[in-house]
Amino acid sequence: MLSCPPHPCQSPRPYLLRPKPKSITVSSSLHQPSQNPDHVVLRRHNSKSTAHLIHHLSQSHDSIPERPQSQHELQDHEHSIPDEEEQLKILQLSLAPKRTPQFPGSIYVQSPSDPDVHTSLPPLSTLLHDKAGNEEEEDDEHKMIMRALEIRRKVTGEIFKEAMREGKFGITYATNLTKRLAAFIDYVMVEAANLKRLPEFSQSTFNFRAKTVIQDSHVVPLIRWLKHNSVSYPKIGKLISMSKGKIESIRRVVDWLKSIHVKGEFLGVTLTKAGKNILERSNYELDEIVEYLESNGVRRDWIGYVMSRCPQLLSYSMEELRARVHFYLDLGMSENDFGTMVFDYPRILGYFTLEEMSEKVSYLKEFGLCTEEAGKLLAFRPHLMGCSIEERWKPLVKYLYYHGISKDGMKRMLMVKPIIFCFDMETTIVPKVQFFQDIGVRDDAIGNMLVKFPPLLTYSLYKKIRPVVIFLITKAGVNERDIGKVIALGPELLGCSMVKKLEVNVKYFLSLGIHLRQLGEMIADFPMLLRYNIDVLRPKYRYLRRIMVRPLQDLIEFPRFFSYSLDGRIIPRHKVLVEKQVNLKLRYMLACTDKEFEKKVEAILERRRRFEAGLVDVNLSGSQAIDDAVENLNLC
């Protein structure tokens, strides 16, 4: 039968039944044991664990004494230099913020009474001892020092994160913020090292000194306060790094910004973009900037808005600020215009250099503007200063010149709608011009159309221009072949509201008995017909039908009738015709000056007198003679 080996719990341990050996031999796997049984070959790299084993065995067997190490072996252990991997491990263990778990039988044992593992690790001097005369070894020493600094930096970061967690911050927030505080972590590391020189900290550990520096800086309560004021953690990290350890300067400047009504979400932006010297400036210097701007037209309740949109103003000296303010005042601006301009576009005062500002004003003058006109233009549309000459203005000028717009036309466009020169030409202007060409507007008419109504280029192509064109074709009866003519003659129609203006006018004209096709022809002849208010159209129509007793066909033939003043032209001329007993078509009656109208009436009266005297062909009717006389007068 097969016999089973005895259970370890049932049989005594083998070494308890053996006689006491004279010596214990611990051989290394890298060395062959000596043939002499009294000779012992120890593993130098595991001598401490061997000593623990011998001590344990000596407690179990009093006859087994602990073998002490010789002086030579102790010196070898003390001064032996581990390889590169073990050097890095020693550094990591010696600089760790807390004891790391060790496996049983580890070479370097950490005991609870040894948090810095100094008793179980070889001194760092054995790693960084003098190796002069060997360049490669010096490079290795430099690398080891840099590794030690990097590990110390990581340890400091962990200590800071622990302080953040004690301040009731989440792990994710603390980790993300620590990544952005490299400069502050280095500051804490240096200050903790400096504390070693003080007598009260001479025997303390680095971890304790680092915690002391963090607590004394009050950085954690400051982070809590900044977060409460809606400052994001990237900006908090940048602010703390900018402070260079002067944490209280952040709170002082933030309190000052809140005093001038900078809102919470802009506090971090203002501080981080104001420049590195913002935390070094006193409240007196900052107040001086505010008082100077207020004395030049920037209202007190605007200051917070201005500073939050252009924080660079807080970093300028008073000489620089005065030069920038006088640059605009010298263009003929009043203080009210200057203050309004700064409020509308704060970057115009502090973002651009004086050379850029002078160059852009000089370019605007090339359109024919004088200094005062350039100042008024910038006061009305300060965003022009934010446009690039090479990337924005010059390509647009070339494009407009290609479509036949002269310098005077560009000047009018610039004065009427300067925002056009702030648009991106390829994405905003070119598609609209191409659309006008597609619907039948002639190339030579596009330039005149843009000069006549520059706001046309500010409208959305798909939300405004195309819907109006479709409405004119489908709802107003305009023929597709005439739509290009309508837009060219009346580009203002594209700015009208379809619901409040165009639909209301179309319904009114259709209610008068005008057919849709006839209305389309009227609009093609006079596109501005749809732009008049109903309150203006109704009295003129009533006078035409009730007082002048004219047929609706006269209105269809001459829709410009609604463009003339009822009291200034229609009624006075109608009274003249009634007194002289003369009948004229609306076109001849209204589409002329007062002198031309008098000549027409005199010609008709002269023709009548000659007819009555028998000097005119009797076969010619009276009305026909009058029309011929009027037409002959027009030809002359």
Side-chain angles (χ1 to χ4, degrees):
M1 296 179 63
L2 297 176
S3 60
C4 296
H7 195 273
C9 298
Q10 298 175 357
S11 61
R13 295 182 181 180
Y15 66 83
L16 296 178
L17 302 179
R18 298 174 183 174
K20 297 179 181 179
K22 296 182 180 180
S23 63
I24 297 176
T25 301
V26 181
S27 62
S28 173
S29 61
L30 300 178
H31 301 82
Q32 295 296 330
S34 177
Q35 297 178 357
N36 187 359
D38 297 333
H39 181 70
V40 179
V41 180
L42 296 177
R43 297 172 61 186
R44 294 183 178 180
H45 66 281
N46 204 11
S47 58
K48 193 172 184 66
S49 57
T50 303
H52 279 277
L53 176 60
I54 295 174
H55 179 68
H56 175 72
L57 296 178
S58 64
Q59 292 179 351
S60 302
H61 306 279
D62 297 332
S63 61
I64 303 178
E66 180 179 355
R67 180 186 182 277
Q69 292 181 340
S70 65
Q71 183 68 21
H72 177 70
E73 292 172 347
L74 291 175
Q75 292 178 356
D76 289 344
H77 174 68
E78 179 179 358
H79 298 287
S80 61
I81 305 299
D83 57 10
E84 185 175 355
E85 293 183 359
E86 291 196 7
Q87 289 178 358
L88 180 60
K89 184 175 181 180
I90 293 172
L91 286 173
Q92 291 175 343
L93 291 174
S94 62
L95 302 179
K98 61 176 74 174
R99 291 184 292 107
T100 56
Q102 300 293 315
F103 58 88
S106 176
I107 300 175
Y108 307 114
V109 180
Q110 294 177 332
S111 61
S113 61
D114 184 24
D116 290 330
V117 296
H118 289 160
T119 59
S120 59
L121 292 177
L124 294 180
S125 59
T126 61
L127 302 179
L128 307 176
H129 69 284
D130 185 14
K131 298 181 180 180
N134 192 332
E135 294 182 359
E136 294 182 358
E137 293 179 351
E138 289 180 356
D139 292 340
D140 293 340
E141 180 180 354
H142 176 72
K143 292 180 181 179
M144 190 59 60
I145 293 175
M146 297 305 297
R147 286 181 179 179
L149 290 176
E150 186 63 28
I151 294 172
R152 182 72 80 186
R153 186 177 288 111
K154 292 180 180 179
V155 170
T156 309
E158 292 296 329
I159 295 172
F160 180 80
K161 284 192 278 187
E162 185 64 27
M164 289 284 292
R165 287 193 289 268
E166 292 177 358
K168 306 303 181 182
F169 286 96
I171 298 176
T172 303
Y173 188 91
T175 303
N176 293 337
L177 181 60
T178 305
K179 292 179 181 178
R180 299 177 180 270
L181 289 176
F184 182 75
I185 295 300
D186 290 344
Y187 165 79
V188 173
M189 184 173 63
V190 172
E191 290 298 319
N194 289 335
L195 287 180
K196 185 75 172 178
R197 302 176 181 178
L198 300 179
E200 58 269 26
F201 294 100
S202 60
Q203 301 300 324
S204 61
T205 63
F206 173 81
N207 296 0
F208 178 77
R209 297 194 302 269
K211 291 179 182 179
T212 303
V213 173
I214 294 174
Q215 292 175 358
D216 293 344
S217 65
H218 303 288
V219 65
V220 177
L222 177 65
I223 294 173
R224 173 69 64 186
W225 184 71
L226 291 174
K227 184 180 179 183
H228 177 73
N229 284 277
S230 303
V231 182
S232 61
Y233 73 84
K235 293 182 176 59
I236 293 176
K238 188 173 182 180
L239 283 175
I240 296 176
S241 300
M242 287 170 52
S243 66
K244 299 179 181 179
K246 300 178 181 179
I247 303 297
E248 287 302 322
S249 61
I250 300 176
R251 186 184 293 269
R252 175 182 59 81
V253 178
V254 169
D255 286 334
W256 183 86
L257 291 175
K258 293 173 69 176
S259 68
I260 62 172
H261 308 294
V262 176
K263 296 183 179 179
E265 61 268 22
F266 293 104
L267 288 173
V269 177
T270 305
L271 282 174
T272 53
K273 293 187 177 181
K276 296 182 179 179
N277 65 336
I278 180 63
L279 298 178
E280 300 175 0
R281 308 200 74 171
S282 63
N283 289 2
Y284 174 78
E285 294 175 318
L286 299 176
D287 290 334
E288 190 177 6
I289 294 175
V290 173
E291 292 173 359
Y292 181 74
L293 292 177
E294 189 176 0
S295 64
N296 285 280
V298 183
R299 291 166 48 180
R300 183 74 181 186
D301 52 345
W302 293 350
I303 294 294
Y305 176 84
V306 172
M307 294 303 176
S308 61
R309 269 66 180 181
C310 186
Q312 292 82 2
L313 290 172
L314 297 174
S315 63
Y316 292 142
S317 63
M318 288 303 302
E319 291 75 13
E320 176 73 13
L321 184 61
R322 289 191 184 96
R324 291 175 174 272
V325 172
H326 283 290
F327 175 84
Y328 294 105
L329 296 180
D330 292 342
L331 296 177
M333 293 186 190
S334 63
E335 291 184 357
N336 292 334
D337 291 340
F338 175 78
T340 305
M341 177 191 70
V342 173
F343 176 76
D344 289 341
Y345 189 60
R347 290 161 62 95
I348 194 174
L349 185 59
Y351 188 77
F352 309 101
T353 63
L354 288 172
E355 291 76 13
E356 290 177 335
M357 294 155 59
S358 301
E359 184 180 0
K360 291 176 182 178
V361 170
S362 300
Y363 190 86
L364 291 176
K365 291 182 179 179
E366 294 182 3
F367 290 98
L369 301 176
C370 63
T371 302
E372 290 74 14
E373 289 176 336
K376 292 180 180 178
L377 180 63
L378 290 176
F380 175 69
R381 182 56 65 182
H383 298 81
L384 286 171
M385 191 60 72
C387 301
S388 172
I389 296 177
E390 299 294 333
E391 298 178 2
R392 191 63 55 88
W393 287 354
K394 287 186 177 180
L396 178 60
V397 169
K398 292 180 181 179
Y399 185 77
L400 297 178
Y401 181 78
Y402 172 78
H403 286 284
I405 300 178
S406 63
K407 182 183 292 186
D408 293 336
M410 295 180 192
K411 178 182 177 181
R412 184 181 186 280
M413 295 177 64
L414 185 62
M415 297 300 293
V416 173
K417 208 67 178 178
I419 193 65
I420 293 175
F421 286 77
C422 299
F423 289 157
D424 181 72
M425 185 186 70
E426 296 295 334
T427 59
T428 305
I429 297 178
V430 173
K432 296 173 185 176
V433 174
Q434 183 64 42
F435 177 77
F436 297 142
Q437 292 174 340
D438 294 341
I439 63 176
V441 180
R442 296 182 304 179
D443 293 339
D444 56 351
I446 290 179
N448 295 330
M449 180 178 66
L450 297 180
V451 174
K452 180 181 179 181
F453 190 62
L456 176 65
L457 294 176
T458 64
Y459 299 143
S460 173
L461 177 60
Y462 295 98
K463 295 181 179 180
K464 186 66 176 176
I465 297 177
R466 289 186 61 184
V468 171
V469 171
I470 295 173
F471 175 85
L472 294 176
I473 296 175
T474 58
K475 303 295 183 180
V478 179
N479 197 297
E480 291 187 11
R481 65 174 180 271
D482 295 332
I483 190 64
K485 174 186 175 183
V486 171
I487 299 300
L489 295 178
E492 298 86 351
L493 286 177
L494 299 177
C496 297
S497 172
M498 288 193 299
V499 177
K500 297 181 180 180
K501 178 64 66 175
L502 299 181
E503 289 184 358
V504 174
N505 284 17
V506 168
K507 291 180 180 179
Y508 174 75
F509 288 115
L510 294 179
S511 67
L512 300 180
I514 301 175
H515 298 293
L516 185 62
R517 180 182 59 81
Q518 295 174 330
L519 179 60
E521 295 175 354
M522 294 172 63
I523 296 173
D525 185 25
F526 184 58
M528 300 299 291
L529 184 66
L530 296 180
R531 293 191 66 241
Y532 295 111
N533 293 329
I534 301 299
D535 296 336
V536 176
L537 298 174
R538 188 176 288 111
K540 295 178 182 180
Y541 177 77
R542 289 177 179 174
Y543 188 84
L544 176 73
R545 298 285 284 166
R546 298 179 183 180
I547 306 301
M548 298 178 67
V549 195
R550 294 293 184 109
L552 183 62
Q553 186 62 30
D554 287 1
L555 184 62
I556 296 175
E557 293 176 356
F558 189 66
R560 293 177 182 268
F561 169 79
F562 291 106
S563 64
Y564 299 106
S565 171
L566 180 61
D567 296 328
R569 177 167 295 193
I570 297 176
I571 294 178
R573 293 191 179 185
H574 176 251
K575 289 182 178 181
V576 172
L577 295 179
V578 171
E579 291 174 357
K580 303 295 184 180
Q581 296 182 354
V582 176
N583 187 17
L584 284 177
K585 290 184 177 181
L586 294 178
R587 185 184 305 274
Y588 304 137
M589 170 186 169
L590 300 174
C592 58
T593 63
D594 291 339
K595 291 183 178 180
E596 292 175 349
F597 177 73
E598 292 176 359
K599 289 181 180 181
K600 290 179 182 181
V601 173
E602 289 296 331
I604 294 173
L605 293 177
E606 180 63 23
R607 185 83 176 187
R608 181 187 295 172
R609 285 193 294 268
R610 294 183 63 186
F611 176 77
E612 292 175 350
L615 300 177
V616 184
D617 189 1
V618 295
N619 294 327
L620 193 64
S621 63
S623 61
Q624 185 178 357
I626 293 174
D627 293 340
D628 291 343
V630 172
E631 292 195 5
N632 291 334
L633 183 61
N634 291 333
L635 291 175
C636 295

